Amino acid sequence: MESGLLVYALPALATQLALTPIFSVLPGLYATEFGVNVAVIGAAVIIMRLWDALTDPVVGALSDRTRTPLGPRAPFMIAGLTIASAGGWFLFVPPNTPSLWTIALSGIVFFVGWTLIEVPHTAWGTELSREPTVRTRLFLYRSLAGVAGGLLFAAMPYMPWSPGPAFSAQTLRDTILAFMLVGAVSIFLCVWLVPKSPTLHNAKRQADTGRAMQAAMRNAPFWRFLAAFSLSGLGIGAFNTLQFIYLKSYLGYDAEIPIVIGAGSLAALLALPVWLVLVNRFGKVATWCVGMGLVALFIAPVAFVPPGPDYFILYLCLSLGVATCAGAGIIVPFSLLGDVIDFDTLKSGLVSTGLYTSFFLLVVKMNGAIGGGVGLIALEWIGFDPNAVGHSPQAVLGFKTLISGLTSALLLAGTLLLWRFPINAKRHAIIRRALDRQGRGKAGPRRQPSEARR
């Protein structure tokens, strides 16, 4: 079982290898390397992510209802890698003068492919086990693989063939080629070695998408979970997108930027097992809330770091704190999503894992679109030009407010909303026992213990 969990996690290495630069470096490189206006980049980010979000429920519902010799999820992942590779090439290796529509269209194609990988892969993971410790450990491995993908991207400027230690157009080309190779190998191993959604055989199949949608709309814990995740995700999304420009155009760093991203990825990688211990000791919700609150506390002082190399260690320490504490938000949401889905399965008798996963990943994309895209457009509005030699005090103050004040406020708001979440470890144990009885034919699909209802 343990080896199957490890192999299951491998595709996250490929997807995060490509997603890390899209969320952190690509917008800044488009502005500084290719001379694209930040407002144009922000508009392209919003277009590509919002358009892509429309495909999530479709992919989720279809993968719930698909039956093939490879299982319900694998065919979508194979098709997704092909599509993401095609769109990713034009996104990472753009023409000399990329326009709004060339950026947006290539991004749309890439993210459609990513959806075909990510929605089925996440749904597959929630179906491998209902045991809370196994489910949390599984998404720990998935998170470790994802963070390793970010670390691999940070190492790209240090490859022997790289022109230098700073991020450049060559870094983007190398990254998309590595994504194609790692994605092909990892998805092949996942399809070949990982069990094919075993829990689907012990529960009633989804009757139709309409009934599943109605059940999801009545699932109050799910919508509270999504709202809390949205607020914190908007904060993280805006910070990640703006950080490259803040480091390069305001603080004056260049070769130091891969160090910030690489050290952060390494810190997150080392911290994830610690967060797993905390989750098992204090519960998912409490651990997630503490993690988000600490991230906000580390982001807030970023605005007070002066420009210049003398203060690089100070910024590096703050960024390491952000990366380390963000580990709680990497592990817990996917595991907690599985608990929320179990609650709906008990109430409705329907298996709608793919549909719920698609809603969750839609919010992930909305966070990236709104947090990152609007943040870039706001830079244009406050008058901060990434390519300018000097900046007005008003532009600098506006940038600091965006990257530090607004992001930390959103994280704290998400923490407050998630506090005292209704599905804790005790209530999920009740839900899981009831689902196990249903699988043995000892309970009707729509009856729910009174303890779980409260």
Side-chain angles (χ1 to χ4, degrees), residues 131-311:
E131 176 61 38
T133 57
V134 175
R135 182 176 276 169
T136 302
R137 194 166 69 251
L138 182 147
F139 284 105
L140 168 67
Y141 295 151
R142 190 177 188 270
S143 301
L144 287 170
V147 174
L151 188 60
L152 179 58
F153 166 71
M156 286 292 174
Y158 297 96
M159 298 298 175
W161 55 84
S162 178
F167 288 124
S168 64
Q170 180 66 41
T171 307
L172 298 180
R173 179 187 292 267
D174 294 343
T175 300
I176 194 61
L177 290 173
F179 163 75
M180 296 176 187
L181 175 62
V182 175
V185 173
S186 61
I187 289 177
F188 171 76
L189 292 174
C190 190
V191 172
W192 183 28
L193 297 175
V194 177
K196 298 174 177 62
S197 302
T199 61
L200 285 177
H201 303 298
N202 297 323
K204 186 178 177 181
R205 286 186 181 180
Q206 178 177 316
D208 58 71
T209 303
R211 284 184 58 201
M213 289 285 290
Q214 292 175 5
M217 294 301 294
R218 295 191 294 267
N219 190 343
F222 175 64
W223 295 107
R224 181 172 172 179
F225 162 78
L226 277 190
F229 181 81
S230 297
L231 290 169
S232 60
L234 285 171
I236 291 292
F239 181 80
N240 288 340
T241 301
L242 295 173
Q243 180 179 227
F244 179 88
I245 298 176
Y246 193 74
L247 291 171
K248 188 176 181 70
S249 301
Y250 174 64
L251 294 182
Y253 303 146
D254 193 11
E256 296 90 347
I257 299 177
I259 297 175
V260 172
I261 295 179
S265 297
L266 183 60
L269 192 69
L270 296 175
L272 284 176
V274 178
W275 286 111
L276 176 63
V277 173
L278 295 175
V279 167
N280 293 333
R281 174 66 178 84
F282 299 105
K284 299 177 185 179
V285 173
T287 304
W288 190 10
C289 287
V290 169
M292 287 194 297
L294 289 174
V295 171
L297 292 179
F298 277 109
I299 286 179
V302 163
F304 302 100
V305 177
D310 293 342
Y311 301 95

Side-chain angles (χ1 to χ4, degrees), residues 427 430 433 448-454:
R427 289 177 179 174
I430 296 169
R433 287 195 297 269
Q448 178 187 352
S450 58
E451 302 100 311
R453 283 200 303 268
R454 291 197 294 267

Side-chain angles (χ1 to χ4, degrees), residues 51-71:
W51 179 269
D52 172 46
L54 298 176
T55 64
D56 283 38
V58 177
V59 172
L62 287 176
S63 66
D64 278 340
R65 302 167 67 87
T66 298
R67 298 295 179 268
T68 73
L70 295 177

